[in-house]
Amino acid sequence: MATLATPVRKRGHEDRPAKEQGPAVRAFRATPFTYGTLLIVAAILTTPLVFVGSIALSSDATVNNGAFTIIPREFHWDNFSRVFGTELPVGTFLLNSVLISLFSVAGQVLSSGLVGYAFARLRAPGKNTMFLIVIATMMIPTQITMIPQFILFRDLGWVNTFLPLIVPNFFSNAFNVFLVRQFVSRLPSELDEAAMMDGLGFFGVYRRIMFPMLRPVLIAIGIFTLTHTWGDFMGPLIYLNDESKMPLALGVQYITATSQAGQAPPWNLVMVGSILLALPMILVYYLGQKYLYEMDISGGSAGVK
């Protein structure tokens, strides 16, 4: 009588005992010492911010005497409205910063997404060499290209306009291209192939398939660009001459130069301008930190969640 042969099942990873599957990952448990250390570090890091707020709420008499304290003892909230009543157009400074930053963010997001997707998906001779050249530009110090760029923009007639601060952002950035390229290269290429079989072209695949999946990395690029352009001091200092076109980062410095000879600068108003310069970045990071954490360039899993 014939016996049925049962197939021999190879012992796989799931059949191994728990002790043979590698060491188990242990969860980190915080101790009172951990919380104490974090509180001390947090206090050290936040002390300068508290000192800035204390100076911003000080009176003019305290500024003239230089009797500043880390913990606020005065609360002159009217300083936040007085800063807009100075001889300098602080409101215009703030509006200029918003315009420059928003257009710069839009340019970086659009250009970096397209260029990074092209390097990850398109097939072209010399693509890898070109990508290495793009990455190599990150090693060039900004001070080396500062004078040639100024000469170029001067010959174009762009000096004393917003164009030198905005237009270069529409030609992408090497670091941002690297982020998008690494993110897209980990996504399954079957998504592109399925979309092309449905009749979509390159831009159609990017707009309908890839762009929604690239949301974490593109938002991160927007946050990085906004942080850089909002606090940029050197660029406006080089290209802008009129006060009506200066951003807030450059205008805050001009507040210190409005005092008379031998008189202390209005440090309370200067610190108010510094708070106006820093507060939007804190809010942007707080609202966008989720996308920064989701930007997993090593595995690209954030795009398919």
Side-chain angles (χ1 to χ4, degrees), residues 176 179-180 183 213-222 224 291 294-295 297:
N176 296 336
L179 289 180
V180 177
F183 193 95
M213 302 177 69
L214 289 173
R215 185 177 63 173
V217 67
L218 292 181
I219 291 179
I221 289 174
F224 297 153
Y291 300 100
E294 287 183 357
M295 190 188 62
I297 63 175

Side-chain angles (χ1 to χ4, degrees), residues 79-216:
N79 291 339
F80 288 86
S81 58
R82 286 178 53 204
V83 72
F84 293 97
T86 60
E87 299 177 356
L88 296 173
V90 179
T92 303
F93 294 161
L94 187 61
L95 180 60
N96 293 338
S97 295
V98 172
L99 293 176
I100 295 173
S101 300
L102 290 182
F103 281 106
S104 300
V105 169
Q108 281 292 341
V109 169
L110 293 175
S111 59
S112 299
L114 286 172
V115 176
Y117 175 65
F119 273 119
R121 287 292 193 258
L122 289 186
R123 298 179 180 177
K127 181 188 70 173
N128 294 332
T129 302
M130 187 178 301
F131 179 72
L132 292 176
I133 295 175
V134 172
I135 296 301
T137 59
M138 297 173 59
M139 303 175 62
I140 302 177
T142 306
Q143 292 78 5
I144 294 180
T145 60
M146 191 177 297
I147 295 178
Q149 282 184 350
F150 178 81
I151 295 175
L152 175 62
F153 293 141
R154 183 198 60 186
D155 295 341
L156 292 175
W158 289 3
V159 176
N160 203 27
T161 66
F162 293 158
L163 294 178
L165 307 176
I166 295 176
V167 173
N169 290 290
F170 283 85
F171 292 90
S172 189
N173 176 278
F175 178 72
N176 296 336
V177 170
F178 171 77
L179 289 180
V180 177
R181 192 252 187 188
Q182 294 300 105
F183 193 95
V184 175
S185 62
R186 299 301 189 269
L187 297 177
S189 59
E190 289 80 3
L191 297 172
D192 304 54
E193 298 172 357
M196 291 180 179
M197 291 179 63
D198 290 338
L200 293 179
F202 174 78
F203 291 101
V205 173
Y206 176 78
R207 181 173 63 88
R208 296 189 179 185
I209 306 298
M210 287 297 164
F211 188 80
M213 302 177 69
L214 289 173
R215 185 177 63 173

